[in-house]
Amino acid sequence: MKNNRPEYRKYVIGGVATLITAVYIVRLFMLQITSDDYKKSADSNAFLKKIEFPSRGIISDRNGQLMVYNQPSYDIMVVMNEARGHIDTLDFCKALNISRQEFDERMKAVMNTRGYSRFTEQLFMSQLSDQEFSIFQEKMYRFPGFYVQRRSIRQYVYPYAAHVLGDVAEVSPADIEEDDYYQPGDYIGKQGVERSYEKQLRGEKGVQILLRDAHGRIQGSYQNGALDQKPVPGKNLTLGIDSKLQALGERLLEGKIGSIVAIEPKTGEVLCMVSSPGFDPRMMVGRKRSASHKLLSQDTWKPLLNRSIMGQYPPGSTFKTTQALTFLSEGVITAQTAYPCYHGFVFKGLRVGCHGHGSPLPLVPAISTSCNGYFCWGLYHMINNTQKYGTVQKAMNKWRDYLVSMGFGYKLGIDLPGEKRGLIPNAQFYDKAYKGSWNGLTIISISIGQGEVNATPLQICNLAATIANRGYYLVPHVVKKVEGEPLDTAFTRKHYTLAKPEAYNYIVQGMRSAALGGTCKALAHYDFEACGKTGTAQNRGHDHSVFMGFAPMNDPKIAVAVYVENGGWGATYGVPIGGLIMEQYINGKLSEASETKATEFQNRRINYGTTER
């Protein structure tokens, strides 16, 4: 054994030497072939790849009025490999009017950015104004490793339409994960059409490759710019919004909580969309956006909430038009069918109250006077008709099918983020709630737009547009035109309801009768034929004031819905506000008397107390 030891050691030493050599070879291979660290370092010494950002598409209203445009701003970029230890930090902070602590925090944030590289430009500070940039530019030569990148920020012409337009802010990590177009420090649409049409608005980035000398100084374009790529501007948008109508709507809802939505029936274009309380979109621009957003998000009245598409309310008596269409189409009633109303629906110990009017009465006067009893009887006779439907469950689901075809119970698909679906119950819903033991009397309140039924103001307005079109609607959309491309076919396709076309004629007659002498008689004085339907939606507090209508009757140009929380009767706020919206759009302006009325409603305030909304 002793004689074998030298030979054994020889093999051990040889193996160790071979292993060390192999490790060095692998490491050299990784450094020189697979790793791009040296390449990045070499490239960063020789080249500076400067991203050129495209101008974002501008946004105009339906009449060509500019609503959103771009204004120059500047970002401070840093290449950490060049900047570390080479600048006078105090002088730098003074030039940008920041503290040393803020400087350190920003530098730390840069290094913690996802995808960080010390060889490439990283965002240090964004959205400097012209004045801030000019001060920094004078001293920039003192700060190696820091560069200026020209950008643009959004500017909003008017202090309204914030929920429709949306806003732009820095991308989040989730945005970067979702789309590799974005890098830290990029901007993206966060809400409204800025979000929905982000890909059209943003354009395409360009790149400029600059050559540097051994001292890092820019010597000019590499190969005279042969490899540069020019940015492609974003596409411009034309909205269906009428900016003057939008302004009037926001005036009328000052001091109130609620919504106004107006649609052009023939196209589905949204003419105005007001959610109150709202906010000035100019609050959400530049570096002040974060503070403004925090302030608005903490407001108990929820100004960031777009109630037009997110508010889910009982539609009240506006819903009676859907019931009439369903009952007529299913043969439950004819236009001549008359039901009694003893100040309400009274049957088998159940009472649903109603205001005083003639009784019994047929369909058109029932719509005109908004008779609760009439529509309660209609629902009872449909749901309990087991001879026709077999079971109450099948009758209920048939009822549900009609409502879904009219645009209720599901999202309509408007081109804005955050739309809610509302609620249209089905048989399974009630089977679960009542353990299978229920009938038309159990659910009678849904016939008058109460109980479990919920809808958004957009859905209520879409109902008015559907009636105006006598049986079809186009999906409501706020964008009328995208530069250089056709509108999505989702917004140009007609959706027909299950209701029979001839049934709509009676609903129109009833809504016109309501405007001439029924619950909407405040519309009678206009020089156009307005049609309307009020709603007074019951609430735990004061009732909500609801209205929907359209005009002119035989050539509809506008459909409108008004919802004022705790506004009382539909005729108190809903009808007069709806009438003013119609007049402004159809005539292009308000009469002197109507302008006085508009100022009166603008100054009216509803006391909501201190309860959080």
Side-chain angles (χ1 to χ4, degrees):
M1 291 294 294
K2 290 182 180 180
N3 294 333
N4 291 332
R5 284 180 183 175
E7 186 178 347
Y8 174 76
R9 288 174 182 171
K10 179 176 67 174
Y11 286 121
V12 171
I13 293 171
V16 171
T18 302
L19 180 62
I20 293 172
T21 303
V23 169
Y24 272 102
I25 291 172
V26 170
R27 182 59 180 158
L28 285 170
F29 177 82
M30 291 176 63
L31 288 173
Q32 296 182 27
I33 306 300
T34 63
S35 174
D36 61 354
D37 282 355
Y38 286 105
K39 183 178 184 299
K40 283 182 178 179
S41 180
D43 284 350
S44 69
N45 289 331
F47 304 114
L48 175 64
K49 292 184 178 180
K50 196 173 186 65
I51 298 295
E52 293 190 325
F53 291 90
S55 58
R56 198 170 175 86
I58 63 173
I59 303 175
S60 304
D61 83 342
R62 67 186 299 108
N63 300 311
Q65 289 291 322
L66 187 65
M67 298 187 76
V68 186
Y69 64 97
N70 301 308
Q71 179 172 293
S73 73
Y74 304 88
D75 291 349
I76 305 298
M77 310 298 292
V78 59
V79 178
M80 297 296 278
N81 199 48
E82 301 172 18
R84 277 294 186 184
H86 296 114
I87 66 169
D88 183 334
T89 306
L90 294 178
D91 191 23
F92 180 88
C93 292
K94 186 176 180 181
L96 284 178
N97 192 29
I98 61 175
S99 66
R100 175 57 191 265
Q101 180 183 353
E102 186 176 352
F103 172 86
D104 291 337
E105 289 174 351
R106 287 181 178 274
M107 293 294 272
K108 184 177 179 180
V110 167
M111 290 187 288
N112 290 332
T113 301
R114 185 175 183 179
Y116 163 75
S117 170
R118 69 181 188 274
F119 301 117
T120 60
E121 287 188 349
Q122 308 289 317
L123 178 67
F124 175 80
M125 190 172 184
S126 65
Q127 299 182 341
L128 270 67
S129 66
D130 284 333
Q131 184 179 5
E132 291 170 322
F133 166 66
S134 63
I135 295 172
F136 180 75
Q137 188 181 33
E138 292 178 1
K139 296 183 177 182
M140 196 168 67
Y141 70 94
R142 301 181 187 177
F143 312 128
F146 284 89
Y147 302 90
V148 170
Q149 184 167 259
R150 192 177 188 277
R151 298 287 292 269
S152 62
I153 57 174
R154 294 304 245 178
Q155 288 295 325
Y156 300 88
V157 178
Y158 305 111
Y160 42 77
H163 295 100
V164 173
L165 297 173
D167 63 294
V168 174
E170 278 191 39
V171 291
S172 66
D175 294 326
I176 298 170
E177 180 74 26
E178 186 176 326
D179 190 339
D180 59 9
Y181 172 90
Y182 301 104
Q183 299 296 324
D186 284 357
Y187 306 148
I188 190 173
K190 289 293 185 180
Q191 294 295 334
V193 296
E194 295 277 21
R195 182 71 180 186
S196 299
Y197 290 85
E198 165 66 15
K199 290 187 178 179
Q200 290 90 339
L201 286 166
R202 74 188 184 189
E204 297 176 19
K205 296 175 186 173
V207 63
Q208 184 181 15
I209 303 176
L210 303 175
L211 189 63
R212 301 198 285 196
D213 63 16
H215 300 286
R217 294 172 299 202
I218 302 298
Q219 298 300 299
S221 294
Y222 177 62
Q223 293 187 5
N224 293 320
L227 301 181
D228 292 355
Q229 295 176 1
K230 292 187 177 297
V232 178
K235 296 179 179 180
N236 299 329
L237 300 184
T238 300
L239 305 186
I241 297 291
D242 182 312
S243 56
K244 291 182 179 178
L245 193 67
Q246 182 76 24
L248 174 62
E250 300 209 11
R251 277 180 60 198
L252 295 172
L253 283 190
E254 283 185 20
K256 309 163 193 70
I257 296 175
S259 167
I260 301 172
V261 181
I263 294 173
E264 184 179 62
K266 289 184 176 67
T267 64
E269 293 165 9
V270 174
L271 302 172
C272 79
M273 179 176 284
V274 180
S275 178
S276 180
F279 59 94
D280 188 336
R282 295 173 295 189
M283 293 174 63
M284 306 292 276
V285 172
R287 296 206 304 273
K288 65 182 179 181
R289 181 191 181 275
S290 180
S292 297
H293 188 274
K294 182 178 180 181
L295 183 70
L296 292 169
S297 64
Q298 292 174 344
D299 190 323
T300 57
W301 302 105
K302 300 180 181 177
L304 291 174
L305 179 70
N306 185 354
R307 288 171 167 82
S308 298
I309 62 173
M310 297 176 180
Q312 299 177 95
Y313 301 102
S317 293
T318 61
F319 201 65
K320 292 172 181 174
T321 56
T322 67
Q323 303 306 283
L325 289 164
T326 302
F327 303 155
L328 282 169
S329 300
E330 282 295 291
V332 176
I333 62 171
T334 68
Q336 291 71 43
T337 300
Y339 285 128
C341 182
Y342 306 107
H343 283 275
F345 173 79
V346 181
F347 187 62
K348 292 187 176 181
L350 178 66
R351 179 182 180 84
V352 178
C354 188
H355 55 278
H357 57 72
S359 173
L361 72 175
L363 178 61
V364 170
I367 294 173
S368 177
T369 60
S370 196
C371 172
N372 284 345
Y374 191 97
F375 298 96
C376 287
W377 279 114
L379 183 77
Y380 173 75
H381 286 147
M382 179 177 178
I383 301 300
N384 279 39
N385 190 348
T386 54
Q387 184 176 355
K388 178 176 182 178
Y389 299 106
T391 65
V392 294
Q393 283 81 3
K394 289 181 179 178
M396 183 69 212
N397 284 340
K398 174 62 72 172
W399 178 91
R400 184 275 318 272
D401 291 344
Y402 273 89
L403 272 298
V404 169
S405 79
M406 295 177 197
F408 292 94
Y410 293 89
K411 297 177 183 180
L412 282 166
I414 191 170
D415 50 348
L416 290 175
E419 182 189 6
K420 301 298 183 184
R421 61 181 290 176
L423 174 63
I424 296 296
N426 57 17
Q428 291 74 20
F429 180 93
Y430 287 122
D431 281 343
K432 183 177 180 181
Y434 296 106
K435 298 181 179 179
S437 179
W438 57 278
N439 59 39
L441 290 178
T442 316
I443 61 171
I444 202 70
S445 59
I446 64 174
S447 66
I448 57 173
Q450 298 290 162
E452 293 74 31
V453 171
N454 271 328
T456 64
L458 177 68
Q459 290 172 330
I460 298 172
C461 187
N462 188 64
L463 171 62
T466 305
I467 297 169
N469 288 333
R470 278 50 167 189
Y472 73 87
Y473 67 89
L474 292 92
V475 171
H477 50 285
V478 296
V479 171
K480 177 183 177 75
K481 181 182 177 183
V482 179
E483 180 186 13
E485 65 179 65
L487 198 64
D488 193 320
T489 56
F491 305 127
T492 59
R493 187 169 59 250
K494 291 180 180 179
H495 296 260
Y496 288 89
T497 75
L498 293 177
K500 294 179 178 178
E502 56 269 25
Y504 282 91
N505 295 327
Y506 296 109
I507 310 308
V508 172
Q509 289 177 37
M511 292 176 69
R512 179 59 183 156
S513 177
L516 290 175
T519 57
C520 301
K521 60 186 176 183
L523 302 177
H525 72 278
Y526 286 111
D527 59 0
F528 49 84
E529 291 182 306
C531 299
K533 181 71 196 75
T534 54
T536 304
Q538 293 177 5
N539 181 45
R540 283 175 293 180
H542 204 39
D543 293 342
H544 302 318
S545 179
V546 195
F547 167 80
M548 74 165 191
F550 61 91
M553 179 174 69
N554 293 317
D555 183 23
K557 291 180 171 59
I558 181 172
V560 61
V562 180
Y563 210 107
V564 179
E565 291 189 26
N566 306 138
W569 295 103
T572 304
Y573 282 98
V575 175
I577 289 176
L580 291 169
I581 292 293
M582 290 180 185
E583 180 185 0
Q584 170 66 43
Y585 186 69
I586 292 174
N587 295 340
K589 62 179 181 179
L590 297 179
S591 67
E592 187 175 337
S594 292
E595 181 58 46
T596 300
K597 185 188 293 184
T599 301
E600 175 195 340
F601 274 91
Q602 179 182 359
N603 294 329
R604 281 194 194 180
R605 299 290 188 270
I606 296 177
N607 182 11
Y608 293 99
T610 58
T611 305
E612 291 191 10
R613 307 306 297 176

